[in-house]
Amino acid sequence: MPTSQQQPDLAPEGPPNPADLVEQLIVAAEKRGLKVTRIASAVLQFRQLPDYSHLDDTERVLAEQMFKGLMQYVVLLPDSDKSQENGKPLHLAWYWWWRGERLSRRTDEMERLADASAIDEAADRIARVLALLPSEV
């Protein structure tokens, strides 16, 4: 006979689902005003669109043709800072995927951004890196 003090059996929490983490980061980034494009299952492109609302129609068209905003890729990968034991769930992390001039040398570079579960931290850092102010455009 169960008593009121007994706790229900809780299944141990498993590792986070990578697809869920990707969706959570997309939602968090969009709440911060970023445009997000999924390039592959765990590769996201973030874009901060400039605010040209202070320009007249002719200037706005020209400005939009000349500069479409800052862009950055972020990818979800196994965490290089944590040991990945055989048979255990992978530890995942978000990484900046730096490209640009390195692409011509075919040496893309990854830099750790945040733990995979640190969705708000990752979204805040991405938004800060891509921040644009009208006076800077």
Side-chain angles (χ1 to χ4, degrees), residues 8-14:
D9 290 334
L10 299 175
E13 194 173 307

Side-chain angles (χ1 to χ4, degrees), residues 9 13-14 25-27 30 36 38 40-42 52 63 72-73 93 95 97 104 117-118 129-131:
D9 290 334
E13 194 173 307
L25 185 56
I26 290 170
V27 169
E30 288 175 342
V36 185
R38 186 188 311 246
S41 60
Y52 292 126
Q72 178 62 51
Y73 290 99
Y95 285 85
W97 183 10
S104 64
S117 60
V129 165
L130 297 179

